[in-house]
Amino acid sequence: QVQLVESGGGLVQPGGSLRLSCAVSGTIFSLNVYSWYRQAPGKERELVASITPTAMTNYADSVKGRFAISRDNAKDTIYLQMNSLKPEDSAVYYCNARFRASVTWGQGTQVTVSS
């Protein structure tokens, strides 16, 4: 059974940085496409960034140039480095793993950007 455990969320001031981690277990790590999604109160869940098994990345326009997704195949962990954070980045961030028709979600981690 695939399990994803996010960590690294918290409260940060505008312009600050955070790094989210997603520890992956129960699957062959290298085969999955991994993504970070976020959901703010009253809004739909949206794709933030994704990374393929060959490390190709894709970003939402709203985070390009500020966020970076990466994968560590030795540690079975996905990261989301978030820089120049804005209040509108506040949301619950979810890690997602996809392999063929199988999709797994983590429990989410709260990110709050506020002064």
Side-chain angles (χ1 to χ4, degrees), residues 25-79:
S25 61
T27 183
I28 302 174
F29 179 83
S30 60
L31 296 181
N32 289 274
V33 174
Y34 295 98
S35 302
W36 286 97
Y37 286 74
R38 66 187 181 187
Q39 188 167 20
K43 295 188 177 181
E44 293 188 354
R45 191 172 296 189
E46 63 174 355
L47 176 66
V48 175
S50 61
I51 187 166
T52 70
T54 56
M56 291 183 63
T57 58
N58 181 57
Y59 296 93
D61 288 342
S62 59
V63 307
K64 281 181 181 176
R66 300 188 298 122
F67 290 13
I69 188 171
S70 61
R71 58 193 296 157
D72 187 332
N73 289 345
K75 295 184 178 180
D76 289 1
T77 301
I78 300 295
Y79 301 99

